[in-house]
Amino acid sequence: MIDLKSLKPLELWGFVEDALVEKGHPWRVFTLSTVDDAGRPQSRSVVLREIESNNWLLRFYSDSRSPKILQLQHNPNVSLCFWNPQLKQQLRAEGLATLMSDKKAIDERWDRVKEGPTVADYKTKLPPGSEVDPLVEFVEQNWFCVVEIKISSFDLLQLNREGHQRVAVTPDGVTALVP
């Protein structure tokens, strides 16, 4: 359990980093919420791939043809939600999403992905969400992209029978909140 009374902003990033190094950590897969062109919220699970705690950045990978990418280009405001059922912790975050544009940095990441089991996720002939009959077709081209989210704030809720605790965390500090 996190001691919310003495938590420092960068300490929270250490807990997020645990999701990258601990096998099966529940925060590795988080919920990303965007807004579609009709103003409706859209949520889906994505995989945390990288963080830069000093810059308050996190990254995930996607197919550039995915509806979420178009949504992010129209409205970069996002909400994230991480849930740890074992510790009964909910971590929410707000931020602005952008697509990484540094081709060399993207290629370095793609070189790692193309050697792994998820390479096919970025090489389907049709975009994500398309109907297929009967099998998904793959091509040589890839639609790999890297999404960066600049986090502006976290909201950490610790559920506990003796009393819930909640804090807001920004680069400027930690503020206790009513749960």
Side-chain angles (χ1 to χ4, degrees):
M1 182 154 41
I2 300 171
D3 179 8
L4 300 185
K5 292 179 177 131
S6 64
L7 183 68
K8 304 284 185 265
L10 285 179
E11 284 179 293
L12 180 58
W13 278 101
F15 297 116
V16 177
E17 189 172 357
D18 290 345
L20 292 175
V21 295
E22 293 177 15
K23 186 173 174 59
H25 194 290
W27 284 2
R28 179 66 187 252
V29 177
F30 64 94
T31 302
L32 169 74
S33 296
T34 58
V35 178
D36 69 16
D37 58 357
R40 296 178 303 240
Q42 300 291 320
S43 298
R44 82 281 291 149
S45 297
V46 296
V47 179
L48 178 65
R49 298 295 183 179
E50 304 171 27
I51 67 166
E52 283 185 30
S53 55
N54 289 336
N55 294 322
W56 283 64
L57 277 176
L58 61 79
R59 296 185 185 96
F60 68 90
Y61 304 157
S62 181
D63 182 312
S64 62
R65 303 167 298 166
S66 170
K68 70 179 158 286
I69 300 304
L70 185 59
Q71 292 164 8
L72 293 172
Q73 290 171 331
H74 287 298
N75 183 348
N77 293 292
V78 295
S79 179
L80 317 177
C81 188
F82 302 79
W83 172 244
N84 185 327
Q86 294 84 20
L87 299 178
K88 295 184 174 52
Q89 290 172 342
Q90 174 185 268
L91 178 65
R92 295 184 304 143
E94 292 183 1
L96 287 175
T98 57
L99 295 181
M100 182 181 275
S101 58
D102 181 336
K103 181 158 176 30
K104 183 179 177 198
I106 295 167
D107 289 345
E108 288 171 0
R109 287 159 175 85
W110 173 246
D111 286 343
R112 291 191 304 263
V113 168
K114 72 181 181 185
E115 302 302 323
T118 63
V119 64
D121 295 344
Y122 309 101
K123 297 183 76 163
T124 59
K125 183 176 182 179
L126 298 173
S130 300
E131 288 188 23
V132 292
D133 185 29
L135 299 172
V136 175
E137 214 176 315
F138 298 97
V139 294
E140 286 304 309
Q141 181 178 355
N142 77 75
W143 286 274
F144 177 79
C145 70
V146 179
V147 178
E148 296 184 315
I149 300 174
K150 176 73 170 172
I151 301 297
S152 57
S153 66
F154 286 110
D155 183 311
L156 178 62
L157 174 66
Q158 175 68 62
L159 300 177
N160 188 315
R161 288 183 187 265
E162 289 80 45
H164 306 321
Q165 294 182 31
R166 183 176 171 195
V167 293
V169 181
T170 67
D172 297 326
V174 179
T175 305
L177 302 172
V178 174

